[in-house]
Amino acid sequence: MGQPAFARPFHRPQRGAALHCGKVSLESLARRFGTPLYVYSADQIAERSALFQAAFAGREHLLCYAVKANSALAILKLLAGRGAGFDIVSGGELERVLAAAPEAAGRVVFSGVGKTAAEIDLALDAAILAFNVESEAELHLLAERARKHKRRARFALRVNPDVFADTHPYISTGLREHKFGIDIRQAPKIYKNAAANRWLQAFGVSVHIGSQIRSAEPFGAAMERVGKLVAQLAPEGVALEAVDAGGGLGIDYHAPGFDAASKVAEYAAAIESALAGFKGRLLIEPGRFVVAQAGALVTRVLYVKRNGKKTFVITDAAMNDLIRPALYQAHHEIAPVRLRAGQPRPVDVVGPVCESGDFFARDRILAPVRPGDLLALLDAGAYGMAQSSNYNTRPRAAEVLVEGAQARLIRRRETISDLLAPESI
Ligand code: LLP
């Protein structure tokens, strides 16, 4: 398999070779660091962020990477080094940004429907770029905390544009019936009221219509409505300097030859054409698109067993490591690290956790596998480790970042004592 530009970083350098991440063999990584193991390509993460930066080069813009997709400190540092800012949704995520790249604090936007006073205080202290405010009550709290801190708070109202995005119902957010944002029709009144408060500065308007959205069209539709709102506000004395288009651009979990560059170009074109009348600053908050395909979860086969007509491949990774298949019926390609000859057959790939929801794939046609073999669950760089848990008292996996021919442990495997440490009897 050759490596066209912007292909997945996981490939076989020649026929019959083990799967590699860039120049590094996954077999060697599994030997060195054990399994289950998350492996990320720094090169691809850099490449993806550069795609966005290039696509919006025509105007002042800021890529605010959505920390929730993968919050590894080393990845935050890498992105900050390339000029990225961050979209955070908790005080904890802010602490991560401050630990990895304190110089990026001024490039942080804070989203989320349930910010606490303590989280707002932390963000005011850190002098973040803006708060994406999701309700009038939150705006009142923000004003009160800003007055206490004697620091003016820049805010954007997160409006709900009432746009339907075709994705899994758990991750669609842009309809009026969702808990997110403020009804776009209420926004002008709220901006005007806020103008009277000296502790609030109307910085922009933001949206986020959902995640894993494959077509550019809904982004354009949302931006049309936002563009109209900004144009309507200007003559009323509310001059907004920024529009935040949110995240949500989806990847193709099925197609190895997925063309990321044209996807980003399409996305940028939809946004730019809808915002043609707005000359200000554009913020975007991609998460998945930047890191998903840069990551794989490498796992070792423990057992292969037959129950009735079914064959189960039992791996040492489980739903606690990667919950997306169980939670969203998500598809992840599964590649044997070393391909065995023989007839591919349908198997269920499952983990050791004690529930039937613990599966990575059902009736997946897979080349023959034996106990001891390594499998790579692809496109696991986003919402993989970030959504992992210790269910069944399973320590979290280790994480490795590959850069060129170098592999670096960026998070050691948890130990059972790590897990027991906060408890007392
Ligand atoms: N901005 C806001 C305000 C968000 O809520 C999100 C994601 C993003 C940006 C980034 O969206 P992205 O570009 O990654 O689509 N756990 C689910 C995805 C949940 C997304 C939640 N919000 C999954 O594994 O598919």
Side-chain angles (χ1 to χ4, degrees), residues 66 68 87 111 158 171 208 210-212 247-249 285-288 324 328 383 387:
K68 65 167 78 67
D87 168 53
S111 303
R158 173 168 172 186
I171 55 179
H208 173 74
S211 190
Q212 184 51 14
L249 184 61
E285 305 171 354
R288 185 189 320 265
R324 303 194 68 259
Y328 317 111
Y383 306 109
Q387 293 195 111

Side-chain angles (χ1 to χ4, degrees), residues 212-363:
Q212 184 51 14
I213 299 168
R214 301 277 311 284
S215 113
E217 196 269 328
F219 296 106
M223 282 299 109
E224 292 273 351
R225 293 181 190 183
V226 165
K228 282 204 185 103
L229 174 65
V230 177
Q232 173 196 343
L233 287 169
E236 299 176 28
V238 182
L240 299 180
E241 65 183 271
V243 165
D244 180 342
L249 184 61
I251 62 156
D252 192 335
Y253 282 94
H254 291 267
F258 171 74
D259 182 355
S262 35
K263 247 306 131 296
V264 174
E266 251 173 62
Y267 167 78
I271 291 181
E272 287 297 2
S273 96
L275 283 185
F278 172 71
K279 299 295 169 223
R281 195 167 177 197
L282 179 73
L283 274 54
I284 48 167
E285 305 171 354
R288 185 189 320 265
F289 206 92
V290 177
V291 289
Q293 296 183 298
L297 174 58
V298 180
T299 179
R300 206 174 277 284
V301 174
L302 299 172
Y303 302 101
V304 178
K305 79 173 197 182
R306 254 170 223 113
N307 271 0
K309 288 203 178 95
K310 279 200 158 273
T311 302
F312 291 94
V313 172
I314 302 168
T315 61
D316 66 359
M319 67 191 290
N320 74 295
D321 299 299
L322 177 66
I323 202 173
R324 303 194 68 259
L327 195 55
Y328 317 111
Q329 297 75 48
H331 176 95
H332 284 265
E333 289 285 315
I334 302 179
V337 168
R338 201 171 276 279
L339 273 173
R340 287 184 184 278
Q343 186 63 36
R345 288 188 196 291
V347 296
D348 280 19
V349 180
V350 303
V353 162
C354 300
E355 49 180 288
S356 299
D358 181 22
F359 62 87
F360 293 126
R362 287 179 159 158
D363 296 318

Side-chain angles (χ1 to χ4, degrees), residues 371-405:
D373 287 2
L374 293 168
L375 299 176
L377 297 157
L378 299 179
D379 303 331
Y383 306 109
M385 186 63 170
Q387 293 195 111
S388 65
S389 76
N390 294 120
Y391 188 36
N392 280 205
T393 307
R394 292 170 50 87
R396 279 188 180 78
E399 295 180 291
V400 164
L401 187 64
V402 174
E403 203 162 0

Side-chain angles (χ1 to χ4, degrees), residues 63-67 69-71 75-76 79 84-87 284 286-287 290-291:
L63 186 164
C64 292
Y65 165 71
V67 172
N70 186 321
S71 52
I75 291 178
L76 302 184
L79 286 165
F86 299 96
D87 168 53
I284 48 167
V290 177
V291 289

